Amino acid sequence: MEEGTSKSPTHCADTAPYDDYDARQWDTREGCEVRQILDRVADKWSLLVIALLERRSLRFTELRREVDGISQRMLTVTLRHLERDGLVRRTVHPVVPPRVDYALTPLGATLHDTIQSLVTWTEAHQGEIAAARAAYDEAAAGA
């Protein structure tokens, strides 16, 4: 078992109903499943792998070639975590040499839809964010 994860879900905060939203729902206490899942799916390597697998299944070497800057070990760890969480399916084909394909599961596909919404928001607001950064940096330099 991976350090920092539990075998069974733990209750750390209620995430429903939406009309009574509480930002503390992403509890930072050790053992909070929501926090652990968010940490896993929102890391930079997982986001890239999920985005790439949305198009089609890929072999390990294809993924490594497409994910700029990732080490072989980090890609292995990322794929293992995504597979454990039920987001990626690993298929070993009985050929010589062995061929292994990775694909999104139906659950992983729903996560990709959510990630795509975040990317769309980012693209729509990147100019505003750049302007806010420039204003902040200018104010900080003048202080």
Side-chain angles (χ1 to χ4, degrees):
M1 165 144 338
E2 180 183 350
E3 182 179 326
T5 60
S6 62
K7 286 186 178 182
S8 61
T10 57
H11 177 77
C12 54
D14 192 4
T15 58
Y18 292 111
D19 59 342
D20 191 22
Y21 179 82
D22 181 1
R24 292 171 294 173
Q25 69 185 6
W26 304 315
D27 201 322
T28 57
R29 288 178 295 182
E30 187 175 333
C32 177
E33 286 294 313
V34 172
R35 179 75 258 161
Q36 291 172 9
I37 293 167
L38 286 171
D39 287 345
R40 172 71 44 79
V41 300
D43 76 60
K44 68 178 181 179
W45 301 126
S46 294
L47 289 172
L48 288 169
V49 167
I50 290 166
L52 288 167
L53 292 176
E54 188 273 333
R55 296 182 212 135
R56 64 183 178 93
S57 65
L58 293 168
R59 297 176 74 175
F60 183 90
T61 54
E62 293 172 314
L63 278 167
R64 182 146 185 241
R65 194 175 14 236
E66 293 291 325
V67 181
D68 189 36
I70 195 168
S71 68
Q72 181 171 335
R73 181 187 179 287
M74 195 74 240
L75 180 56
T76 299
V77 167
T78 299
L79 288 166
R80 190 173 296 137
H81 288 167
L82 293 172
E83 182 182 11
R84 179 175 182 247
D85 290 342
L87 303 171
V88 167
R89 180 184 64 252
R90 179 178 185 265
T91 304
V92 180
H93 300 277
V95 295
V96 177
R99 188 178 110 212
V100 180
D101 292 323
Y102 295 90
L104 284 184
T105 64
L107 180 62
T110 65
L111 178 58
H112 179 268
D113 293 342
T114 301
I115 292 167
Q116 188 57 50
S117 295
L118 182 60
V119 170
T120 300
W121 179 90
T122 304
E123 289 171 343
H125 297 284
Q126 64 186 345
E128 294 168 74
I129 292 169
R133 287 176 177 174
Y136 180 92
D137 293 345
E138 186 177 321

